[in-house]
Amino acid sequence: MGELAPEVTLPDIHDYVRWAMILPPNGSLGTSTAQEAALSRMNGWHPDLQALIEQADPDNSTLLSIRVVEPGECWAPGPGTLLGDAIHATCPTGGNGANTALRDADLLGRCLIEAAEGRQDLLSAVDSYERQMFEYGGEAVRHSLAALPAFVPNPERPEPA
């Protein structure tokens, strides 16, 4: 990294593990910490995984709500627009949120270049971007929601052996 960005310095931190568990709505079961919420769903899990959660730093663990935004109907184009999570936030189970935002940026950039080069006016360029983005962005949100149940611990569904 020193060759690519010599002006960047990184903090000297110790090794760490990032963990996440997707719980159903109100899945914290009235617990007060992220660790307690996760551990309450880990009966029968490998002891090393349970120890990982038990030893997690409580100051760096939290319960967060997952929110999604599915685009509705296209609106009349204007001189401003939205991209990424601002218009089609996906849940992490689809694994495509960042990729969809990058696709937005690429498409919007290409549409704006067409406007700058006079091949179409600005509002037509924004309209072209929004119509395409609404289609694939909505599909990305639907894909992430369809995958969600497989990631939520369910006591009625046996865990894979």
Side-chain angles (χ1 to χ4, degrees), residues 4 7 12 16 34-37 44 50 62-63 66-67 69 86 91 106 108 112 115 120 124 129 141 149 155-156 159:
L4 298 176
E7 72 283 358
D12 184 21
Y16 68 94
Q35 284 92 337
E36 291 169 348
Q50 292 180 2
T62 189
L63 295 169
I66 294 175
R67 307 281 187 206
V69 177
C91 59
D106 175 65
L108 180 57
L112 292 175
Q120 61 178 323
S124 296
Y129 158 72
V141 172
E156 281 118 45
E159 295 296 325

Side-chain angles (χ1 to χ4, degrees), residues 19-106:
W19 63 273
M21 178 183 279
I22 298 174
L23 300 171
N26 301 318
S28 65
L29 306 174
T31 58
S32 59
T33 70
Q35 284 92 337
E36 291 169 348
L39 288 167
S40 73
R41 297 298 184 122
M42 295 178 70
N43 292 334
W45 289 34
H46 194 281
D48 289 348
L49 285 173
Q50 292 180 2
L52 177 81
I53 304 306
E54 289 167 353
Q55 296 171 25
D57 178 4
D59 291 337
N60 287 304
S61 302
T62 189
L63 295 169
L64 300 172
S65 295
I66 294 175
R67 307 281 187 206
V68 298
V69 177
E70 185 171 0
E73 296 294 318
C74 255
W75 50 77
T81 190
L82 300 171
L83 58 93
D85 282 354
I87 187 60
H88 51 65
T90 64
C91 59
T93 54
N96 56 14
N99 289 335
T100 306
L102 290 170
R103 184 175 177 183
D104 291 351
D106 175 65

